[in-house]
């Protein structure tokens, strides 16, 4: 009898640490490749390290004072407004296509693949493709010429370069929002659509009273990603213009501080400030639009 009881308790004693074993590897990778670099970056922000010298002289808050006493370093955030406006367009277009493709539409799987494909392409390849697309006399000018629009320097004109680059960003990342919205819409119970159809609800009424409330958490997540992405945009403008012609973003400016001017300490302080801004904006957004449990039945 005692032997039977001990045999029944043994698996229960072993079970408590099993989840920790599964979490051990991902937690170790998260700490090594995320939290340790963040702590190192914060420590560098209090030094005058040039990135090469083994010595790191402690300078206290001097880098932060230097940042906040040079307002021109923050003027590049005006460029982020173009990407923020592009992100709004991106979310609206993705939501439109996700709603259309969630209904019984012919070739919808084909259209899903076509719309998601740009997100799979490497950012460097996209940059080079659109360099030819925007060059004077290139693809865009050829398409617009029948409409009476003369060739323009889309990447050389300071008034056109940021809308052009934001358009590339919309084209590339719209597929990601599309997939998020499609997953959220398909999680809505189908009988709600059937009941709404029996009551004579139009497609717009189904969107307004069923789809929009059902995907509210995903809309909130997309808004957070849009704001953080607009503040930290780097890849497309760096590849296509290198930050010239008034297209320099805060991240490109930080990269130049670190690697062109060997001011790793000052660049680390700029990165810490950017991190703080993104966290602050996210907290404000979560405070204004808190998560609410959506129950669809």
């Amino acid at each position: 009898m005692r032997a039977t009881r001990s045999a029944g308790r043994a698996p229960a004693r072993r079970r408590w640490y099993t989840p920790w074993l599964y979490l051990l590897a991902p937690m170790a990778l998260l700490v090594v490749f995320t939290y340790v670099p963040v702590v190192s970056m914060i420590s560098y922000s209090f030094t005058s390290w040039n990135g090469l010298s083994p010595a790191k002289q402690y300078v206290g808050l001097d880098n932060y004072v230097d940042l906040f006493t040079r307002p021109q370093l923050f003027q590049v955030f005006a460029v982020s407004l173009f990407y923020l406006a592009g992100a709004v367009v991106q979310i609206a277009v993705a939501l439109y296509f996700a709603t259309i493709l969630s209904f019984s539409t012919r070739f919808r799987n084909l259209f899903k693949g076509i719309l998601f494909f740009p997100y799979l392409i490497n950012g460097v390849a996209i940059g080079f493709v659109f360099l030819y697309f925007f060059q004077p006399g290139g693809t865009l000018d050829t398409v617009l010429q029948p409409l009476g629009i003369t060739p323009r320097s889309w990447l050389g004109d300071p008034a056109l370069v940021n809308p052009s680059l934001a358009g590339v960003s919309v084209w590339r990342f719209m597929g990601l929002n599309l997939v998020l919205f499609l997953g959220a819409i398909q999680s809505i119970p189908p009988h709600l659509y059937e009941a709404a159809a029996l009551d004579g609800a139009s497609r717009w009424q189904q969107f307004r009273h069923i789809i929009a409330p059902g995907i509210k958490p995903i809309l909130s997540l997309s808004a957070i990603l849009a704001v953080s992405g607009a503040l930290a945009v780097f890849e497309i403008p760096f590849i296509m213009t290198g930050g010239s012609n008034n297209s320099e973003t805060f991240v490109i400016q930080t990269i130049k501080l670190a690697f062109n001017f060997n001011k790793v300490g000052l660049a680390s302080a700029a990165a810490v400030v950017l991190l703080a801004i993104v966290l602050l904006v996210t907290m404000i957004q979560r405070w204004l639009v808190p998560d609410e449990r959506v129950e669809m039945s």
Side-chain angles (χ1 to χ4, degrees), residues 172-233:
R172 185 186 180 196
F173 292 105
M174 193 270 291
L176 176 62
N177 291 110
L178 173 73
V179 170
L180 293 175
F181 291 145
L182 273 174
I185 292 174
Q186 289 174 355
S187 67
I188 297 174
H191 68 268
L192 293 179
Y193 298 112
E194 297 170 2
L198 289 175
D199 290 339
S202 63
R203 295 295 191 193
W204 165 248
Q205 290 171 324
Q206 290 182 28
F207 172 81
R208 181 181 176 187
H209 298 289
I210 298 176
I211 294 177
I215 64 171
K216 189 177 177 182
I218 299 300
L219 282 171
S220 176
L221 172 65
S222 298
I224 292 173
L225 293 177
V227 173
S228 61
L231 292 173
V233 65

Side-chain angles (χ1 to χ4, degrees), residues 76-77 79-80 83 123-124 127 162 165-166 168-169 172-173 225-244 247-260 274:
V76 292
F77 277 120
V79 176
S80 299
Y83 294 92
V124 177
N162 288 314
L165 295 175
V168 177
S169 182
R172 185 186 180 196
F173 292 105
L225 293 177
V227 173
S228 61
L231 292 173
V233 65
F234 167 70
E235 195 175 35
I236 295 296
F238 185 77
I239 294 169
M240 296 182 65
T241 65
S244 61
S247 65
E248 187 174 70
T249 64
F250 192 80
V251 178
I252 293 177
Q253 179 180 261
T254 303
I255 294 292
K256 288 182 176 178
L257 283 174
F259 299 106
N260 292 3
L274 178 62

Side-chain angles (χ1 to χ4, degrees), residues 74-203:
F74 291 92
Q75 289 176 357
V76 292
F77 277 120
V79 176
S80 299
L81 296 178
F82 291 94
Y83 294 92
L84 192 59
V88 174
V89 175
Q90 174 183 310
I91 291 174
V93 174
L95 184 57
Y96 171 77
F97 282 120
T99 304
I100 295 295
L101 296 176
S102 64
F103 295 119
S104 298
T105 308
R106 294 185 65 183
F107 308 115
R108 59 178 179 176
N109 288 332
L110 174 64
F111 287 118
K112 289 178 186 175
I114 291 174
L115 293 171
F116 183 67
F117 180 69
Y119 183 69
L120 301 177
I121 304 176
N122 181 271
V124 177
I126 289 177
F128 281 110
V129 167
F130 276 92
L131 278 177
Y132 291 106
F133 182 81
F134 285 121
Q135 70 177 352
T139 307
L140 183 58
D141 285 335
T142 304
V143 171
L144 296 178
Q145 194 169 5
L147 302 177
I149 300 176
T150 56
R152 300 186 180 190
S153 179
W154 299 98
L155 300 179
D157 187 344
L160 296 176
V161 62
N162 288 314
S164 303
L165 295 175
V168 177
S169 182
V170 170
W171 181 84
R172 185 186 180 196
F173 292 105
M174 193 270 291
L176 176 62
N177 291 110
L178 173 73
V179 170
L180 293 175
F181 291 145
L182 273 174
I185 292 174
Q186 289 174 355
S187 67
I188 297 174
H191 68 268
L192 293 179
Y193 298 112
E194 297 170 2
L198 289 175
D199 290 339
S202 63
R203 295 295 191 193

